Amino acid sequence: MTIRIAVIGAGLMGADHAKIVAEELPGAALQLVCDMDEQRARRVADACGAFDIAADPKGAIARQDVDAVIIASPDFTHAPLSMACIIAGKRVLCEKPLSQASADCIAVMEAEQKAGTKFVQLGFMRRYDRSYQEMKRALDGDHLGRALMMHNFHRNVETPAADFTGAMAITNSAPHEFDVVRYVLGTEYAAISAFQPGRSDARVAPVVMVLETMDGQLVNIEINNNAAYGYDVRAELVGERGTVSTNNVAYTRTDSALTQSTSYDSDWRSRYYDAYRLQNRDFLRFVLTGEFPANASDCWDGYCAAIVAEAGVMALKEARRMPVRMIAKPEFYA
């Protein structure tokens, strides 16, 4: 059986998802690429061998020749398009965030629970990255003893837009850290504090967050969207008997003129390509079998990222520690 997949959104992420579907997913066919800019949709479709293009995302979801959907359109479309997929009875891999508003995440969860089965797999792909999986195995296998702290930093060359703010660093960049820390530690957050240093220019300064978990651990997250030197994401888990750290991936090293150097990527796509590929393979199995993948994130995880981001924005704005107040976890997502 061939699963016919529609990719909604033909930007950087949509193009990458289309390429993975076309080249890396035996048993899947790239049925169509949908984007409001039909020329952009056509470019991606032609490059990846898609059967068709479309401009209307809800119309694309409803098509009889589409079995499953990947949403890679702008953030504000994620929740309503995920709802449309649930209504259409089609499983969907939705890029993060499910929504930046926790209330929207709750609405999607309620629709999914009403349908009686999971439809939405959320694109927190770091759960599929080998470095975080090995970190989690080290903790779960009791090689480190009790987890005490986790240090994380996430640095980009520059902000994606001139009007990018510290609050947007929390709602747009930090959710990957919010989720993967929950994945590794297996706990929820109790409170968050957020700070920004001063810069000498008008660019948005780094945001540093300190989170307290329900199990008494401390987690710090640095989001620096104007680091200038390259894309750089790292983490260290500190336990009572040892630590484990992720390493930068560098395939070559240059030795020249009394200097040794390695390079950085300009963005995340090369660093996490294997994680995206593994995530999308799990999504295809989810579509085929109906069994939600063990490593994947669901709507509850999307809600958790949104609610801590909302608390983080308030912590930054009001310069005070904010509790993270979550709804009770529905049994459906247990």
Side-chain angles (χ1 to χ4, degrees), residues 272-292:
Y272 290 112
Y273 185 81
D274 281 345
Y276 280 111
R277 179 174 54 82
L278 294 171
Q279 168 194 257
N280 290 20
R281 286 186 178 180
D282 251 9
F283 174 61
L284 180 60
R285 283 191 288 270
F286 175 38
V287 176
L288 285 166
T289 67
E291 183 177 344
F292 195 83

Side-chain angles (χ1 to χ4, degrees), residues 247-298:
N247 292 324
N248 267 337
V249 177
Y251 294 101
T252 60
R253 183 189 70 200
T254 299
D255 296 293
S256 177
L258 305 179
T259 302
Q260 184 180 97
S261 65
T262 58
S263 61
Y264 287 95
D265 290 326
S266 60
D267 62 30
W268 70 94
R269 291 179 297 159
S270 175
R271 168 67 180 83
Y272 290 112
Y273 185 81
D274 281 345
Y276 280 111
R277 179 174 54 82
L278 294 171
Q279 168 194 257
N280 290 20
R281 286 186 178 180
D282 251 9
F283 174 61
L284 180 60
R285 283 191 288 270
F286 175 38
V287 176
L288 285 166
T289 67
E291 183 177 344
F292 195 83
N295 265 342
S297 52
D298 58 22

Side-chain angles (χ1 to χ4, degrees), residues 8 39 49 122 146 151 207-208 254 282 284 300 304 319 328-329:
I8 298 177
Q39 290 186 335
L122 198 58
R146 171 175 163 75
H151 307 294
V207 176
V208 177
T254 299
D282 251 9
L284 180 60
W300 170 255
C304 292
K329 186 175 184 178

Side-chain angles (χ1 to χ4, degrees), residues 299-313:
C299 291
W300 170 255
D301 299 305
Y303 164 78
C304 292
I307 199 74
V308 72
E310 288 175 345
V313 169

Side-chain angles (χ1 to χ4, degrees), residues 108-119 298-300 329-334:
V108 178
M109 284 195 290
E110 289 173 346
E112 198 172 49
Q113 290 173 83
K114 185 178 179 180
T117 188
K118 289 185 179 181
F119 282 95
D298 58 22
C299 291
W300 170 255
K329 186 175 184 178
E331 189 175 333
F332 183 86
Y333 295 102

